[in-house]
Amino acid sequence: MPDPAESLFLTDRCPLLSSVSVLACPYERDQDVPVPGKPRRRLPAGEAMIDGGERSFARVLGRWDVLVIAFGAMIGFGWIVRTGDFITRAGTLGASAAFLIGGVVVGLVGLTYAELVSAMPHAGGEHNYVLRALGTRPAFVTSWMLVLGYVSVVAFEAVALPQSLSYVFPELPAGPLWSVAGEDVFATWTGVGVLGATVMTTVNYIGVRPAAVFQSLAVLFLLAVGATLLLGSFLGGDLANMRPLVSAAPSGVLSVLVAVPFLFVGFDVIPQSAGEIGLPFRRIGKLLVLATCAATAWYVLIVLTVGSGLPPEALARSELAAGDGMNALWNSRTMGTLLVLGGVAGILTSWNGFLLGASRLVHAMASSGMLPSWFGKIHPRFDTPSNAILFVGGLSLIAPLFGEKMLTWLIDAGGFAVVVAYLMVSTSFLVLRYREPDMPRPFRVRCGRTVGGLALMLSLGLAVLFLPGMPSGLDWPSEWIILGGWALLGAVWLFGLPRTTTPRGQRTPTGTEHSVCRDDTR
């Protein structure tokens, strides 16, 4: 543990952190814990850490758990719902190119995350990075926007679940309730979404270990469905169906590109759950990069295979192009149903991953005094941020009440929120490279300033695409109402925070201080 005098100095100079305990050194499973001035002792895997009388998270996640949580969160259900729309707008090759370009942008941002998570491997991820680099208010803005992005995904899945099951059970929509933006909302359809939200919230409430096991099973099934779709493309696909390869209008490719941040968000679930990962810090960064590459390959694969299975006129008529594409490739309705069930697995993996990530981020904000302490409670039995999970899960219960139209609103508004977070993390990466060049970085990005600069510029370019006047700008008023309402809610807490946590020129500590920890894995 850090020297008591040092801790007193930090909390005295930083009132925001005075009530936040300094976390003990993160440890690897069944590894000795290095504590300066004390003999090394052993902590069994899964033991919860106690800091200053407060319960903390148990480090129970291994390498496979981390990879499937991130990959599953990045896949989700967007590939089922939106693939036909993407190909129609941009062409098969155009949509694939948009995903590759978006994958490069997200990959560069992911590299900055990989370095930062290895240096600050604590729950809260981006919250810790921006707090240390830029101070309190920028950290709040970043974290609050990212919570919106995560909640958007969780709510999206609550709407996507009944929509996907409608493909398998066409009679599911029954009992009309009301209309939203011209779309009817049905009682049974809404009930499925609310039930799914309840189940997923419960799974996360009772512990991260059950959530990780669930994630592994769902991802394995999802990969099996993807392999079946690829095989069907080789056996029954037709290159002629892919024409036109690229749409004539540039706005088509841009419209796909702006959806990429929302669809790809998920790799940053790793930083959010870093406090529960029992791996060497350097390996955490590598797994983050691997998950990003795997998700990029997945989306390109889906576009190419579905494009080879359905001609343009069939794509235009299809409400669920991926399922119809699988049906056409195998000439079997059963195979189309199998793919939709794979999509349901994607819904559950994304839902699970983002409920985990959003709750840890809300917990980190509460632990830093940015949100009420109620959000920071750790369950005494399950070692989970129980109140934060209930908050995020509760918001997802509301989304199905708005019907299918909510899908588009959440993708666009959530995508913009995520890009803002990318901008802030890229900026923090560059600031810390300049201000703290000797900070321990178990995973260190080569040509860091170049990578960080590119990530910053490309993220800024993506952000511009959402602005009014752009072909792919956010819709008025629905999507701007979501952003504006969330901003007003955050403003309630933002203006009560100090402008900075430490005097200018002094390193900004976080509520999850880590610099006293030594990592022997470098």
Side-chain angles (χ1 to χ4, degrees):
M1 297 296 291
D3 180 65
E6 179 185 355
S7 297
L8 179 62
F9 171 78
L10 291 176
T11 55
D12 181 61
R13 302 300 294 271
C14 180
L16 178 67
L17 301 177
S18 60
S19 62
V20 183
S21 60
V22 179
L23 288 183
C25 295
Y27 56 89
E28 187 179 354
R29 290 187 177 184
D30 296 324
Q31 295 294 317
D32 294 342
V33 179
V35 179
K38 294 184 180 181
R40 298 167 73 90
R41 63 188 181 91
R42 298 181 69 84
L43 283 175
E47 178 181 324
M49 298 162 60
I50 309 294
D51 304 295
E54 300 287 340
R55 287 193 69 87
S56 186
F57 298 117
R59 292 184 176 270
V60 297
L61 298 179
R63 177 171 52 189
W64 171 253
D65 300 321
V66 173
L67 185 59
V68 297
I69 287 174
F71 177 75
M74 295 179 75
I75 296 306
F77 190 68
W79 61 279
I80 288 281
V81 180
R82 300 295 302 276
T83 298
D85 184 44
F86 292 153
I87 297 175
T88 300
R89 291 185 181 186
T92 306
L93 189 59
S96 299
F99 278 109
L100 284 174
I101 294 169
V104 170
V105 176
V106 175
L108 289 170
V109 176
L111 285 173
T112 66
Y113 273 80
E115 178 172 305
L116 292 171
V117 71
S118 73
M120 291 172 269
H122 305 295
E126 296 90 337
H127 171 78
N128 298 319
Y129 316 150
V130 182
L131 180 60
R132 179 161 180 162
L134 303 177
T136 305
R137 290 189 175 181
F140 180 90
V141 171
T142 302
S143 302
W144 192 243
M145 291 299 286
L146 196 59
V147 170
L148 172 60
Y150 287 179
V151 169
S152 296
V153 177
V154 173
F156 174 92
E157 308 304 357
V159 179
L161 178 62
Q163 184 188 26
S164 63
L165 291 178
S166 297
Y167 182 91
V168 182
F169 306 105
E171 303 303 320
L172 178 62
L177 297 175
W178 48 73
S179 296
V180 176
E183 297 284 346
D184 291 332
V185 180
F186 297 92
T188 53
W189 195 91
T190 301
V192 169
V194 171
L195 177 62
T198 303
V199 171
M200 296 307 299
T201 301
T202 302
V203 169
N204 276 266
Y205 189 91
I206 64 176
V208 69
R209 185 69 249 169
V213 172
F214 173 86
Q215 191 84 346
S216 296
L217 295 174
V219 166
L220 287 173
F221 179 68
L222 183 63
L223 292 175
V225 170
T228 305
L229 180 62
L230 180 61
L231 179 61
S233 180
F234 280 113
L235 296 177
D238 187 348
L239 293 177
N241 291 336
M242 295 184 174
R243 297 188 178 92
L245 296 178
V246 181
S247 65
S251 60
V253 177
L254 291 178
S255 67
V256 178
L257 187 58
V258 297
V260 169
F262 180 87
L263 297 173
F264 272 46
V265 65
F267 69 86
D268 45 337
V269 170
I270 294 179
Q272 304 307 334
S273 57
E276 294 155 283
I277 298 175
L279 290 173
F281 306 155
R282 178 179 176 84
R283 189 174 297 171
I284 296 175
K286 289 182 175 180
L287 289 173
L288 190 151
V289 175
L290 178 60
T292 304
C293 294
T296 302
W298 174 271
Y299 280 108
V300 173
L301 167 71
I302 294 300
V303 169
L304 294 176
T305 52
V306 173
S308 70
L310 291 175
E313 57 274 12
L315 275 172
R317 293 193 307 266
S318 176
E319 294 186 3
L320 212 60
D324 291 336
M326 181 77 135
N327 187 350
L329 290 172
W330 287 95
N331 194 27
S332 169
R333 174 75 180 182
T334 300
M335 298 303 288
T337 300
L338 176 66
L339 184 127
V340 172
L341 293 178
V344 172
I347 289 175
L348 300 179
T349 59
S350 181
W351 203 337
N352 188 48
F354 281 102
L355 187 52
L356 186 153
S359 60
R360 271 62 178 178
L361 182 54
V362 170
H363 169 270
M365 295 179 72
S367 297
S368 294
M370 294 183 180
L371 292 178
S373 59
W374 182 85
F375 291 103
K377 177 187 175 183
I378 299 292
H379 196 282
R381 176 184 174 188
F382 301 126
D383 296 323
T384 57
S386 51
N387 290 345
I389 290 172
L390 292 176
F391 169 70
V392 177
L395 291 177
S396 68
L397 290 173
I398 301 172
L401 301 176
F402 292 89
E404 293 184 30
K405 193 65 177 178
M406 195 68 170
L407 290 171
T408 302
W409 296 345
L410 291 172
I411 286 178
D412 294 340
F416 180 74
V418 169
V419 170
V420 171
Y422 288 170
L423 276 169
M424 298 299 287
V425 171
S426 300
T427 302
S428 299
F429 174 86
L430 292 170
V431 168
L432 290 174
R433 272 295 185 104
Y434 175 78
R435 183 188 297 167
E436 299 186 54
D438 297 325
M439 181 176 70
R441 293 172 170 87
F443 182 95
R444 190 177 184 90
V445 178
R446 295 181 181 179
C447 305
R449 293 186 179 181
T450 300
V451 171
L454 286 172
L456 178 62
M457 289 188 295
L458 292 172
S459 297
L460 182 61
L462 277 179
V464 170
L465 297 178
F466 289 88
L467 298 179
M470 298 297 294
S472 51
L474 296 178
D475 287 341
W476 174 266
S478 53
E479 292 166 5
W480 285 106
I481 287 176
I482 293 175
L483 285 173
W486 189 257
L488 288 175
L489 180 61
V492 174
W493 292 295
L494 174 64
F495 293 110
L497 299 175
R499 291 182 180 276
T500 183
T501 58
T502 55
R504 180 178 292 275
Q506 182 176 317
R507 180 180 62 81
T508 304
T510 71
T512 51
E513 178 62 33
H514 72 287
S515 61
V516 298
C517 299
R518 179 170 60 88
D519 178 26
D520 295 327
T521 64
R522 287 177 289 160

